[in-house]
Amino acid sequence: MNCFKKFLVATLAFAASIYAAERVYLAPFSMVGLNEDFGVAAEKLMNAYIDDNGRYVLVNHSEEDSIKVGDRESANKIAKEKNCSKFILAEFTRLGENVITAFKLYDINNETPVWSDRLKARNPDDFDPIIQRVAKNIGTNKKATNDNDIYTVTDQETKNPKKKGVTSYWGGKIVGSLPLNPSEAKMDAGLGAFVLYDAKDLIFGFDWTMSNLGDNNDRPTLIDLTLSAFYAFTTTNISPFAGGGLSYSMRYTHSYRYSSYNNNYYDDDDEHETNGLSLQLGGGLLLNRASRVMFIAQVNYFIDFFETPFYKIEDDGKNKNLVESKHHMNGFKFGLGLAIGF
């Protein structure tokens, strides 16, 4: 009795799956600039992959259909005659070395496709992964173009993208620093040098910057060696970007020398040095990105992971005392650079 119940449930489930699947008419593929045999092979692949996915029951065209290749109206007529609710039109067009593949899914009696996609094939070997992706995504809210299945990657997608201009840049820049902690640190200017590697969506950089190149004792000297990675929001000639990196940083602050002769403090020729790691976060703009000469405007916020001592002399009218305070320096860094591409 239990076996009979299981058999009945399985039979009903199988019947429900058959009747739930829509009947879709597959019109003959249009081949422009290609051998017609490729069309036959592509249709067989579509049959196999549609059947694997099980969402549609595919009804193939026959010689008796007398359908005109690529004609929506005749495909619509045959689809209705064969009790199909939808039909598929596909077109493969050779353009130079590449083949443009276009797929459209229509509801019967509707001039607007309910699903469409267009993919580029590098050679006929790409037809298999393209059709597999189309069969999996057709009729859904997803595009085959955006399918991330690593086993359906085409040769066209693995080819290096063509990019106007260059990839590596070397340049120099004017920098400014505005520490917010400690508050007694003042804004100062400096110079820097940098290298950028443009990897389309990601930009990798290495730069050296130094502020306070003079003898301003009231301002700290900031030196940073930074490795960075940025995400470019566009691939256009003017590209905004954001990201960050890690720096090996050195901080030099002014110190004082005590003289017991007259109980006073004097400027010391030696500076106090500290060093460690800093976090850099920010973004900016790449200007003239496609050309050999590129400009970059950038703003970063830096946060030191180490403490830097600052000294000041306090005079209470009777005695002078040297007071030390330690800070995890942080604040803004600005940069405006010019680079040459190679």
Side-chain angles (χ1 to χ4, degrees):
M1 188 67 179
N2 288 334
C3 291
F4 176 77
K5 287 182 179 180
K6 290 180 180 179
F7 174 78
L8 182 61
V9 170
T11 303
L12 291 174
F14 177 74
S17 66
I18 291 178
Y19 286 107
E22 288 186 89
R23 288 170 59 87
V24 177
Y25 177 66
L26 181 64
F29 283 14
S30 172
M31 293 284 157
V32 180
L34 291 166
N35 191 304
E36 293 297 327
D37 290 341
F38 286 128
V40 176
E43 291 169 18
K44 291 184 179 295
L45 286 172
M46 180 68 82
N47 270 275
Y49 291 130
I50 288 284
D51 185 60
D52 287 344
N53 283 284
R55 285 186 295 110
Y56 298 125
V57 174
L58 207 59
V59 178
N60 295 289
H61 66 88
S62 62
E63 293 183 2
E64 292 76 18
D65 293 344
S66 300
I67 184 172
K68 185 178 179 180
V69 175
D71 184 21
R72 187 195 62 80
E73 292 185 359
S74 59
N76 183 81
K77 178 183 176 182
I78 300 298
K80 289 197 295 182
E81 291 177 358
K82 296 195 175 187
N83 297 319
C84 296
S85 59
K86 290 181 171 62
F87 60 94
I88 296 172
L89 294 180
E91 183 176 278
F92 288 46
T93 305
R94 175 173 287 283
L95 292 175
E97 297 179 354
N98 298 315
V99 178
I100 308 301
T101 66
F103 299 86
K104 294 180 180 179
L105 176 68
Y106 290 89
D107 281 327
I108 57 172
N109 300 327
N110 197 330
E111 296 183 358
T112 304
V114 295
W115 187 92
S116 64
D117 206 353
R118 191 183 308 272
L119 298 96
K120 185 184 292 185
R122 190 176 183 182
N123 52 53
D125 290 338
D126 281 348
F127 292 175
D128 180 41
I130 284 175
I131 293 173
Q132 186 175 354
R133 284 159 60 172
V134 169
K136 184 170 68 173
N137 293 283
I138 192 168
T140 70
N141 59 355
K142 299 179 180 178
K143 293 284 189 180
T145 310
N146 301 325
D147 194 305
N148 294 320
D149 189 341
I150 63 173
Y151 296 106
T152 57
V153 178
T154 66
D155 285 345
Q156 174 66 30
E157 291 167 323
T158 60
K159 185 174 69 172
N160 290 330
K162 292 183 178 180
K163 172 182 174 288
K164 179 183 178 183
V166 291
T167 301
S168 299
Y169 297 91
W170 297 67
K173 58 183 175 180
I174 299 172
V175 299
S177 62
L178 178 61
L180 301 181
N181 179 41
S183 58
E184 57 263 29
K186 299 178 182 179
M187 184 173 181
D188 209 343
L191 296 174
F194 64 93
V195 178
L196 284 180
Y197 180 77
D198 189 341
K200 192 178 178 181
D201 293 330
L202 289 177
I203 299 168
F204 302 96
F206 174 77
D207 66 85
W208 165 87
T209 60
M210 179 177 179
S211 64
N212 188 12
L213 300 177
D215 296 324
N216 297 317
N217 292 334
D218 59 338
R219 302 171 188 176
T221 298
L222 280 62
I223 299 176
D224 296 288
L225 295 170
T226 308
L227 283 173
S228 306
F230 301 100
Y231 176 77
F233 293 100
T234 68
T235 54
T236 56
N237 210 28
I238 300 177
S239 300
F241 64 88
L246 200 62
S247 299
Y248 173 71
S249 302
M250 290 167 279
R251 310 292 186 233
Y252 294 89
T253 53
H254 181 61
S255 59
Y256 296 89
R257 175 173 50 85
Y258 177 72
S259 173
S260 58
Y261 176 74
N262 55 5
N263 192 28
N264 204 354
Y265 289 91
Y266 296 91
D267 291 342
D268 196 344
D269 292 334
D270 295 329
E271 293 181 308
H272 189 91
E273 176 192 348
T274 54
N275 59 76
L277 296 179
S278 296
L279 179 67
Q280 308 275 342
L281 297 172
L285 278 176
L286 296 175
L287 306 169
N288 213 35
R289 184 180 177 189
S291 301
R292 177 173 287 275
V293 179
M294 184 191 69
F295 300 89
I296 181 171
Q298 188 174 356
V299 179
N300 279 353
Y301 194 88
F302 73 91
I303 304 171
D304 287 353
F305 295 139
F306 59 96
E307 291 184 328
T308 299
F310 283 78
Y311 301 93
K312 64 179 180 179
I313 299 173
E314 291 186 349
D315 189 351
D316 60 4
K318 295 181 180 180
N319 298 302
K320 292 182 178 180
N321 298 306
L322 183 65
V323 178
E324 179 189 73
S325 60
K326 292 185 177 182
H327 302 268
H328 288 88
M329 290 189 68
N330 58 80
F332 290 100
K333 290 178 65 179
F334 311 91
L336 186 61
L338 173 68
I340 304 296
F342 295 93

